[in-house]
Amino acid sequence: MNFHVLTLFPDMIMQGLSTSIIGRAIDKGLISINTVNIRDFSEDKHKRVDDYPYGGGAGMVIKAEPVYKAYEYLVKQIKQSRTEGMAECKPRLIYATPQGRVFNQSMAEEFARLDDLIILCGHYEGIDERVLELIVTDNVSIGDYILTGGELPAMVMIDAIARLIPGVLNNDISSEYESLRDNLLEYPQYTRPEIFMGMRVPEVLLSGHHANIEAWRREQSIIRTYERRPDLLKKAQLSETENEFLKKHIYQSQSATE
Ligand code: ADE
């Protein structure tokens, strides 16, 4: 999969994603990250890309023209790299903005099915609305807080999407079965030693009994989601037995505190 980032700070993106798992995925050719510097498309002799907002107000606004030119350049690059039919196709373009739909795992899964994904990073008070109307297909936020720019959100999204590409994680199973896939958080994990500061690893994990371990992990996921993210648990699909188990757990923990 090819990620393309329209940004004023290409180094930030490349430095942020060149190490560890994502860096290795790039080296292995499983993904590519291509940055286009919006400033390179400024016609201003000082390479300025922002200007005062019409109507007044604080801050500066990124001009439509350099963004559109950078976009056109990028789309041409993408089309040239494709062997077949993209002539009429408008590429998916995420605008990283706190005004967007809040990014989640199922959005990551959807984007991971694309061959090319463009992310546009804003700064200052925003980008001229007219170019956004022309090129943006998805407005996406990474959470209800305001950052100084779209580069960190772009990196967050690229990381979450890239790790779903087959081969990026050493162990494909780990991305398939892990937390959030079915709206449950992951069960607790332990490694050696068996006793740490007087605390023992749960007995079942040492038993070697795979079915019991699986069952225990599922129960732990359910309890954990109930305790930490009850909003997610409402969306999880629990079997009748699991619902009964949860009721019993809630009853027991309530009577323990009374
Ligand atoms: N740009 C600034 N804040 C942001 C956020 N929370 N999500 C995405 N893009 C942003």
Side-chain angles (χ1 to χ4, degrees):
M1 174 171 184
N2 307 306
F3 295 94
H4 310 270
V5 187
L6 293 167
T7 170
L8 288 167
F9 301 98
D11 293 349
M12 193 174 165
I13 301 287
M14 295 318 286
Q15 280 164 15
L17 294 169
S18 62
T19 41
S20 187
I21 294 173
I22 303 301
R24 277 199 297 278
I26 298 170
D27 293 341
K28 282 199 251 172
L30 295 167
I31 60 166
S32 71
I33 299 175
N34 168 35
T35 54
V36 176
N37 191 342
I38 297 166
R39 199 173 299 283
D40 291 344
F41 296 83
S42 164
E43 304 241 298
D44 182 292
K45 64 173 187 257
H46 303 294
K47 291 279 162 207
R48 286 191 62 159
V49 289
D50 58 341
D51 209 334
Y52 295 99
Y54 275 119
M60 302 293 274
V61 177
I62 299 178
K63 292 152 76 71
E65 195 169 51
V67 175
Y68 193 70
K69 286 207 165 126
Y71 169 79
E72 278 188 320
Y73 167 83
L74 181 53
V75 172
K76 210 163 140 193
Q77 263 189 359
I78 295 173
K79 282 185 179 164
Q80 276 168 357
S81 74
R82 294 272 189 100
T83 42
E84 90 287 347
M86 214 209 135
E88 298 312 316
C89 172
K90 188 173 166 181
R92 273 306 264 284
L93 185 147
I94 294 177
Y95 176 40
T97 166
Q99 299 182 4
R101 201 152 58 101
V102 179
F103 189 65
N104 63 23
Q105 193 65 21
S106 49
M107 286 160 79
E109 283 166 17
E110 187 201 332
F111 290 126
R113 290 194 278 272
L114 300 171
D115 291 326
D116 291 277
L117 175 65
I118 306 175
I119 304 179
L120 169 63
C121 305
H123 261 271
Y124 317 105
E125 288 307 302
I127 300 180
D128 188 306
E129 191 66 24
R130 292 165 295 182
V131 69
L132 299 177
E133 268 175 41
L134 284 173
I135 68 176
V136 174
T137 60
D138 301 80
N139 287 290
V140 183
S141 163
I142 62 159
D144 292 336
Y145 40 82
I146 313 291
L147 299 165
T148 55
E151 282 73 17
L152 286 169
M155 286 190 263
V156 167
M157 290 188 263
I158 291 171
D159 188 290
I161 297 165
R163 64 189 287 292
L164 300 173
I165 306 292
V168 170
L169 296 183
N170 286 335
N171 176 2
D172 274 351
I173 296 171
S174 64
S175 88
E176 196 170 323
Y177 291 103
E178 76 197 340
S179 101
L180 290 186
R181 173 156 258 272
D182 42 14
N183 290 304
L184 289 178
L185 301 181
E186 207 181 23
Y187 47 80
Q189 295 273 25
Y190 302 87
T191 187
R192 286 188 290 186
E194 234 175 271
I195 304 174
F196 168 71
M197 307 266 281
M199 292 179 281
R200 275 194 164 279
V201 171
E203 209 57 48
V204 63
L205 299 179
L206 310 174
S207 69
H209 191 300
H210 289 299
N212 286 355
I213 293 173
E214 278 308 301
W216 179 85
R217 285 181 164 166
R218 177 88 185 167
E219 287 176 2
Q220 291 298 312
S221 283
I222 294 169
I223 294 174
R224 195 156 262 216
T225 315
Y226 165 73
E227 285 169 351
R228 299 185 182 182
R229 291 290 307 274
D231 57 313
L232 274 186
L233 191 62
K234 284 194 197 120
K235 293 186 263 172
Q237 300 226 318
L238 301 189
S239 70
E240 228 168 273
T241 334
E242 287 169 346
N243 270 318
E244 280 308 311
F245 162 78
L246 181 59
K247 271 194 217 147
K248 216 156 102 192
H249 168 79
I250 297 170
Y251 177 74
Q252 279 167 354
S253 51
Q254 276 168 352
S255 22
T257 54
E258 276 164 16

